[in-house]
Structures are given as C-alpha cells and as structure tokens.
C-alpha cells in the first residue's frame, strides 16, 4: 500500500478515535424519571428477607405480572425459576430462594392474594406485586387507614384492612380506598417508586399534595417502600405548599438615582413565655379535652401522658380498657408500638406494667420479636417505656436500645424515621429517650450534634419547614421542645431564637380559639394529634425551668412525675452554666443566659433519644456510625478518556506534520 495512503488512514483513524473518546466523555443522563405506564414489584422469602428488591418496571399492553417478574429479575441479576403447566407459570425460585415442605410462592396484588396466577394477571399501571414464600393459610396483618382531604374533610376515617404479611402501606391505602369506592391515582418513578397524585375526585390546587404518615410520623420514602406492621396506622393528608413569592423582575430602562431607603417596620416582638402563659395554655387544652369529649381509653396514650404531667387524675376508664385489652390478647401485643405506649400509659396512671391481670408487659417488651429487627421508633419507645416506671430489665437491654439509636444517627447529626434526611420530630424523640444516658460520652456527643442540627434547621420564623409535613408544622416544634428540654437545653434560648421568635413563642402561633392547637398555622381547626404534642411540649418546658423531671417518667405510687429526678444539664458545650430560675419564678428568658448548641443535635448518627430517668447503663465502647448510603457511580472514567483522546490527537498531528514535510521536501 502507498505510504501516503497509509499515513492518511492513520490520521483519519486517530481523528475518529478522538471523536469517540470525546463522546464517551459525555456524562450519562440521570435515570430518575416518571414512567407513563409502570408497576412496582418485590419478593421476600419465608423470613421476610428481600430476595428481589423493590423495582419499578415499565409495562406494555398485554404484559402479565409474570412478564414483570422476569424483567425485574433481569434488572437485578436475580434468577427466576418456574415450570409451565395447565394453569400457567408455577414459580419455584426467585433470586436463589425456593420454598420447602408445604411452602409455596404466593402472588399478591396491592396487599392481598391474587385470584389468578401471575402469568394470567394483566399488569395494570400503578399496581404493586409482592411475591412471598408462605404456607397455607398465608399469615396476615391488620392496619388502619385514614385519609383527610380538603379543609379537613374525612374521606376515610380509620378504616381497618387485612393484608398479606409483607404488604406495603400503598397496599393498605388501595384496599381501604376500595371499601369507600375511592380511586387512587398514582405515578411510578424508576428511582423514587410510587407517589400519590390524588385520592377520589378531590379538586387539587396547583400547590396541593398528599403527605403520607405512619403511626404519627412522616414517611420520608415512597409509600410503597414501607412494609406494614400489625396495627399500623397509615395516614394521608392533603396539604398546600405556599412557595415564597419572588419579587417582580425590574424592566430595563434609564438608571434612576437611588432613592432614600424607606424605613422598614421592625418585626413585632413575640410575647415572652412566662410560667403564667404556660399554665394558661395547659388549662385551655384541658378545657379542649372536656369540650370535645376526648375518650381517654386504650389507644389514646398521648392524652394520658399529657394529663399526668398536668397533674390531672387519669380516668379509671383508661386503666380498665387497658386491662381488658391485655386479657383479650393474653398479654401478647403483636404491635410493639401498642405495647410500648401501654407500658408508658400505665406508668402515667400509677400502675405497675410488670403486673397487669397476671401478665408482665415489661417482660413481653424485652422479649418482643420486633426488636430482633427494629426500626428507630421501636428502640426509642422501648427506652421510654422501661424508663417510664424505672422498671427492672435484663442486663444489657437498655444498653442495646441506646446503641441501636446511636447506630442510626445520620451523617451530620439527627435522626429520621426513614430516609437520609434528618427530621426534627424523630430527632426530638431520640433526644428525650437518650436524655437519662447523657453522662456517657458517646451519648453526650450525639446529643450535642442533634442540638446543633435542630438549631441550624430552624427557620427564621421560628419553626421547621418540612415538605413532608406540609410546611411549618406544630408537631415538629413540639417534639423539638420536648427533646431539648429533656436533654437540658433551653428551647427558648439564643440558639433557638430566630427573627420570628423562639420555639415556645412560635408554638403559640398555632393556638386555636377552642384551646387546641392546629397542624399548620393556616388551618382553621384544632388537631387532636397537634394538641396532644403541644400539651406535652408545654409540660416539658415547664419541667425544664422548674427542674421537676422528665415528661415520660412517672411515679408508680402516685401516678405523678418524679419530683427529684436527675436535674437536666443546662450547660452547652463550651459555655458556662446559665443561672437556673428559682422555683415559681416567671419563665422569662434572659438572652445572655441562653445556651449554644454544639455539634449536631438530635438527629445525629447517635440516635438514642427519649429514654427516661432509667439506669444510665449504655455501653461505653465506641459505636460505629452508620454512614449514609453511597450514591450509585454514574460517572465515567473521564480523566483516562481525556488523556487517551489527547494522546491520539498528538499522534495524528505528528503523522500529519511529517507527511506534509515529505511532500514539501
């Protein structure tokens, strides 16, 4: 071949390689996107362990659930084994898991067993499929679902549904909605999975959205990603997001001479929160309880805790209803939250939870199966429960709960129910649980980080603007107050005083005419949940000022909070102890005596919060923090490609130069 032709081909090849290299350098686009027609799918073994992770699969017309299963298997490199028979595909293995004995793979659609096989069911947009190894009859769980629409209208009022064990909160919603002939419009995203667009024929404004909560805590992940536990309460509420208004852009024109600035009106100073103000608001809440005929019985433990801290007698109806429940379940509460709250409720009523109708509820908690694989609320309430009456527990139990909370602390401080973003609600609860153990170095460090988080996350109005709460919610403020006061940190101090006031002053903005408190400031009616938590927050702050104990610890003999618990520390790291107000002195805050949070408050990676004046027995060995999950590697090896491309370009240039020189020689 002619040398000149060879050189030209060499140059052309180098240029082509350079182009390819630069194309490869382009970063891949993000994968997250809403899918037009899709479902979600998941598979678990007989122990509830995930063998096929939650996956979004786009479907075409005519595809079956079995087709979806195969596609999900390919996406996750999970082998799907099945035999074909007269009734379609008989699944024998998913992701290496296979049933033994009389067990089989069950196929469930939106929380309940399917009437047809997976290869027969036509996949429909928004469906959620669960495959689970089980035996006949399949185990089930019962949950409640509430849906609150526009202007507080109850679309579904605590509807009870029975679901397949392993079902999601989305399945609970679908089944409850079907009982009320309500449609559920949902969108499936290949990264964020299922989110709710609308329920029923609710007219939605431009900024309206449905928030999802479980057992009073906001869900920070997809509704389809939460596995229902026995007696869970799924709550959906319609909220309106108020975006900040942007100033109108100025039209270009002739520059004007700067005008003298108009004097700005000073922000109205919030009223100081004195002992008299606290007592008045507690009295108003007690009036709200009477006028709204609140039923203080089993299941309403928040009211019981609040009444005990207000020095009100707990109605005998509560203890009677709890004893009836204990007898009916023979001391075996399947839902650990119910058990934990009942122990605290009995303690508040002056009753010994270790001896109720012949059953030891404390022992039932210590040995409860849910603590084998708990989520953070279980550990928090477990500490609060055993410390509520200073109950004796097996050696190491309290230490295990503290360590579990610490391990769930998020990077940067604080805790969350689910997800990687800290929540003021869960952080406040964790602080309250950890408070009795703050003398331990690891606990103290986690508390300090949580305090810092709560201070930095607080907005200029004085509250916490959380999208999943619908904005600035009173419950977040209340939980922060309870946690801080329990840990010995002043929630009205300088670190928690913003332009719109401190946490206590901001909480007062949610007061309603009937004595209750609302969820959001714009709400026109009181919320039972908001009022319960506001009552406990006011009591916690009052206890902090007067040095009269923690709101979740009670005297079993009198049903009152202990008078001489460990005094909460008021010293912030790096600061001197501020003077404590004398007993009975008005609860006004001196700005010069406020505490500065140290590193990271409640929602830190330490995560033990809300334990009572129990034994400070948490382990002192170092606790390994749980780092946030690493994002998937989406970038290419750009540096190597750039170097290769530049090298090819240089080679091509050299060849071209020598070729031109020969021609001109």
């Amino acid at each position: 071949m002619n040398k000149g032709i060879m050189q030209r081909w060499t140059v052309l090849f180098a240029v082509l390689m350079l182009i390819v290299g630069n194309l490869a350098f382009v970063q891949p686009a993000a994968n997250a996107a809403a899918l037009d027609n899709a479902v979600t799918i998941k598979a678990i073994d007989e122990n509830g362990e995930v063998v096929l992770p939650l996956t979004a699969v786009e479907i075409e017309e005519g595809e079956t659930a079995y087709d979806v299963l195969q596609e999900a298997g390919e996406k996750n490199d999970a082998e799907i084994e099945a035999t074909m028979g007269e009734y379609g595909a008989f699944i024998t293995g998913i992701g290496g898991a296979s049933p033994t004995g009389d067990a089989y793979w069950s196929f469930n659609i939106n929380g309940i067993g399917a009437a047809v096989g997976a290869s027969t069911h036509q996949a429909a947009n928004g469906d959620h499929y669960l495959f689970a190894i089980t035996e006949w009859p399949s185990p089930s769980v019962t949950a409640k679902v509430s849906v609150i629409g526009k202007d507080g209208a109850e679309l579904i009022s605590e509807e009870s549904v029975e679901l397949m064990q392993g079902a999601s909160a989305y399945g609970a919603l679908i089944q409850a909605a079907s009982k009320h002939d309500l449609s559920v419009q949902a969108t499936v995203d290949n990264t964020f999975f299922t989110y709710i667009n609308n329920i029923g024929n609710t007219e939605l404004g431009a900024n309206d959205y449905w928030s999802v909560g479980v057992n009073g805590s906001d869900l920070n992940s997809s509704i389809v990603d939460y596995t229902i536990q026995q007696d869970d309460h799924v709550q959906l509420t319609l909220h309106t997001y108020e975006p900040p208004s942007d100033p109108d852009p100025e039209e270009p024109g002739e520059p004007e001479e700067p005008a003298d600035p108009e004097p700005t009106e000073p922000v109205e100073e919030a009223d100081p929160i004195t002992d008299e103000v606290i007592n008045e608001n507690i009295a108003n809440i007690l009036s709200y309880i009477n006028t709204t005929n609140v039923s203080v019985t089993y299941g309403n433990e928040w009211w019981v805790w609040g009444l005990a801290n207000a020095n009100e007698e707990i109605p005998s109806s509560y203890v009677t209803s709890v004893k009836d429940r204990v007898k009916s379940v023979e001391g075996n509460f399947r839902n650990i939250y119910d058990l934990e709250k009942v122990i605290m409720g009995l303690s508040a009523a002056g009753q010994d939870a270790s001896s109720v109708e012949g059953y030891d509820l404390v022992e039932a908690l210590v040995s409860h199966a849910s603590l084998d694989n708990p989520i953070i609320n279980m550990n928090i309430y477990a500490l609060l429960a055993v410390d509520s009456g200073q109950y004796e527990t097996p050696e190491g139990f309290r230490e295990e709960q503290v360590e579990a909370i610490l391990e769930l602390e998020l990077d940067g401080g604080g805790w969350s129910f689910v997800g990687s973003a800290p929540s003021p609600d869960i952080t406040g609860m964790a602080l309250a649980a950890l408070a009795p153990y703050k003398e331990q170095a690891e606990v103290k460090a986690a508390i300090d980080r949580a305090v810092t988080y709560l201070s930095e996350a607080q907005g200029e109005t004085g509250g916490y603007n959380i999208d999943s709460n619908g904005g600035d919610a009173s419950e977040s403020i209340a939980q922060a107050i309870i946690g801080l006061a329990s840990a010995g940190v002043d929630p009205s101090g300088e670190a928690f005083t913003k332009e719109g006031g401190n946490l206590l002053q901001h909480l007062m903005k949610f007061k309603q005419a009937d004595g209750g408190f609302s969820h959001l400031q714009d709400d026109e009616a009181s919320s039972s949940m908001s009022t319960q938590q506001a009552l406990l927050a006011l009591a916690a702050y009052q206890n902090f000022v007067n040095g009269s104990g923690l709101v979740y610890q009670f005297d079993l003999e009198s049903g009152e909070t202990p008078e001489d618990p460990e005094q909460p520390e008021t010293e912030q790291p790096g600061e001197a102890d501020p003077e404590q107000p004398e007993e009975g002195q008005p609860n006004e805050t001196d700005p010069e005596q406020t505490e500065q949070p140290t590193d990271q408050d409640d929602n830190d990676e330490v995560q033990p919060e809300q334990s009572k004046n129990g034994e400070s027995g948490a382990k002192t060995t170092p606790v390994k923090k749980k780092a946030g999950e690493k994002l998937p590697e989406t970038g290419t090896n750009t540096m190597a490609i750039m170097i290769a491309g530049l090298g090819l370009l240089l080679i091509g240039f050299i060849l071209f130069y020598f070729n031109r020189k020969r021609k001109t020689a």
Side-chain angles (χ1 to χ4, degrees), residues 105-129:
W105 281 104
S106 67
F107 168 49
N108 307 271
I109 306 172
N110 298 326
I112 61 174
V116 296
S119 59
T120 302
H121 173 75
Q122 297 289 311
N125 182 52
D127 274 354
H128 174 59
Y129 304 136

Coordinates of all heavy atoms in Angstrom, one line a residue, residues 105-129:
W105 N -44.7 -20.1 46.6 CA -44.6 -18.7 46.3 C -46.0 -18.1 46.1 O -46.7 -18.5 45.2 CB -43.8 -18.5 45.0 CG -42.3 -18.5 45.2 CD1 -41.5 -19.5 44.8 CD2 -41.5 -17.5 45.8 NE1 -40.2 -19.2 45.1 CE2 -40.2 -18.0 45.7 CE3 -41.7 -16.3 46.3 CZ2 -39.1 -17.2 46.2 CZ3 -40.7 -15.5 46.8 CH2 -39.4 -16.0 46.8
S106 N -46.4 -17.2 47.0 CA -47.7 -16.6 46.8 C -47.6 -15.4 46.0 O -46.5 -14.7 46.0 CB -48.3 -16.2 48.2 OG -47.6 -15.2 48.8
F107 N -48.6 -15.0 45.3 CA -48.6 -13.8 44.4 C -49.7 -12.9 44.9 O -50.9 -13.2 45.1 CB -48.9 -14.3 43.0 CG -49.3 -13.1 42.1 CD1 -48.5 -12.0 42.0 CD2 -50.4 -13.2 41.2 CE1 -48.8 -10.9 41.1 CE2 -50.7 -12.2 40.4 CZ -49.9 -11.0 40.3
N108 N -49.3 -11.7 45.3 CA -50.2 -10.7 45.9 C -50.2 -9.4 45.1 O -49.2 -8.9 44.6 CB -49.7 -10.4 47.3 CG -49.5 -11.6 48.2 OD1 -50.5 -12.1 48.8 ND2 -48.3 -12.2 48.1
I109 N -51.4 -8.8 45.0 CA -51.6 -7.6 44.2 C -52.1 -6.5 45.2 O -53.2 -6.7 45.8 CB -52.6 -7.8 43.1 CG1 -52.2 -8.9 42.2 CG2 -52.7 -6.5 42.3 CD1 -53.3 -9.3 41.1
N110 N -51.3 -5.5 45.4 CA -51.7 -4.3 46.2 C -52.1 -4.8 47.6 O -53.2 -4.4 48.1 CB -52.8 -3.5 45.5 CG -52.4 -2.9 44.2 OD1 -51.2 -2.5 44.1 ND2 -53.3 -2.8 43.3
G111 N -51.4 -5.7 48.2 CA -51.6 -6.1 49.6 C -52.4 -7.3 49.8 O -52.4 -7.8 51.0
I112 N -53.1 -7.9 48.8 CA -53.9 -9.1 49.1 C -53.6 -10.1 48.0 O -53.1 -9.8 47.0 CB -55.4 -8.8 49.1 CG1 -55.8 -8.2 47.7 CG2 -55.7 -7.8 50.2 CD1 -57.3 -8.0 47.6
G113 N -53.9 -11.4 48.4 CA -53.6 -12.5 47.5 C -54.4 -12.4 46.2 O -55.6 -12.0 46.2
A114 N -53.8 -12.7 45.1 CA -54.4 -12.6 43.8 C -55.4 -13.8 43.6 O -55.1 -14.9 44.1 CB -53.4 -12.6 42.7
A115 N -56.4 -13.6 42.8 CA -57.4 -14.7 42.5 C -56.9 -15.5 41.3 O -57.4 -16.6 41.0 CB -58.7 -14.0 42.2
V116 N -55.9 -15.0 40.6 CA -55.4 -15.7 39.4 C -53.8 -15.8 39.5 O -53.2 -15.1 40.4 CB -55.7 -15.0 38.1 CG1 -57.2 -15.0 37.9 CG2 -55.2 -13.6 38.0
G117 N -53.2 -16.6 38.7 CA -51.8 -16.7 38.7 C -51.1 -15.5 38.1 O -51.7 -14.7 37.4
A118 N -49.8 -15.4 38.3 CA -49.0 -14.3 37.8 C -49.0 -14.2 36.3 O -48.9 -13.1 35.7 CB -47.6 -14.3 38.4
S119 N -49.0 -15.4 35.7 CA -48.9 -15.4 34.2 C -50.3 -15.2 33.6 O -50.4 -15.0 32.3 CB -48.3 -16.7 33.7 OG -49.1 -17.8 34.2
T120 N -51.3 -15.0 34.4 CA -52.6 -14.7 33.9 C -53.0 -13.3 34.1 O -53.7 -12.7 33.3 CB -53.7 -15.6 34.6 OG1 -53.3 -17.0 34.3 CG2 -55.1 -15.4 34.0
H121 N -52.6 -12.7 35.2 CA -53.0 -11.4 35.6 C -52.3 -10.4 34.6 O -51.1 -10.3 34.5 CB -52.5 -11.0 37.0 CG -52.7 -9.6 37.4 ND1 -54.0 -9.1 37.7 CD2 -51.8 -8.6 37.5 CE1 -53.8 -7.8 38.0 NE2 -52.6 -7.5 37.9
Q122 N -53.2 -9.5 34.0 CA -52.7 -8.5 33.1 C -52.2 -7.3 34.0 O -52.9 -6.7 34.8 CB -53.8 -8.0 32.2 CG -54.4 -9.0 31.3 CD -53.4 -9.4 30.2 OE1 -52.9 -8.5 29.5 NE2 -53.1 -10.7 30.0
A123 N -50.9 -6.9 33.8 CA -50.3 -5.9 34.6 C -51.0 -4.5 34.3 O -51.4 -4.2 33.1 CB -48.8 -5.7 34.2
A124 N -51.3 -3.8 35.3 CA -52.0 -2.5 35.2 C -51.2 -1.4 35.9 O -50.6 -1.6 36.9 CB -53.4 -2.6 35.9
N125 N -51.2 -0.2 35.3 CA -50.4 0.9 35.8 C -50.7 1.2 37.2 O -51.9 1.2 37.7 CB -50.8 2.1 34.9 CG -49.9 3.3 35.4 OD1 -48.7 3.2 35.4 ND2 -50.6 4.4 35.7
G126 N -49.6 1.3 38.0 CA -49.8 1.6 39.4 C -49.8 0.4 40.3 O -49.8 0.6 41.6
D127 N -50.0 -0.8 39.8 CA -50.0 -2.0 40.6 C -48.7 -2.2 41.4 O -47.6 -1.8 40.9 CB -50.3 -3.2 39.7 CG -51.7 -3.5 39.5 OD1 -52.6 -2.8 40.1 OD2 -52.0 -4.4 38.7
H128 N -48.8 -2.8 42.5 CA -47.7 -3.3 43.3 C -47.8 -4.8 43.5 O -48.8 -5.3 44.1 CB -47.5 -2.6 44.6 CG -46.4 -3.1 45.5 ND1 -45.1 -3.1 45.0 CD2 -46.4 -3.7 46.7 CE1 -44.3 -3.7 46.0 NE2 -45.1 -4.1 47.0
Y129 N -46.8 -5.6 43.0 CA -46.8 -7.0 43.2 C -45.8 -7.5 44.2 O -44.7 -7.0 44.2 CB -46.5 -7.6 41.8 CG -47.4 -7.2 40.7 CD1 -46.8 -6.9 39.4 CD2 -48.7 -7.1 40.9 CE1 -47.7 -6.5 38.4 CE2 -49.6 -6.7 39.8 CZ -49.0 -6.4 38.6 OH -49.9 -5.9 37.6

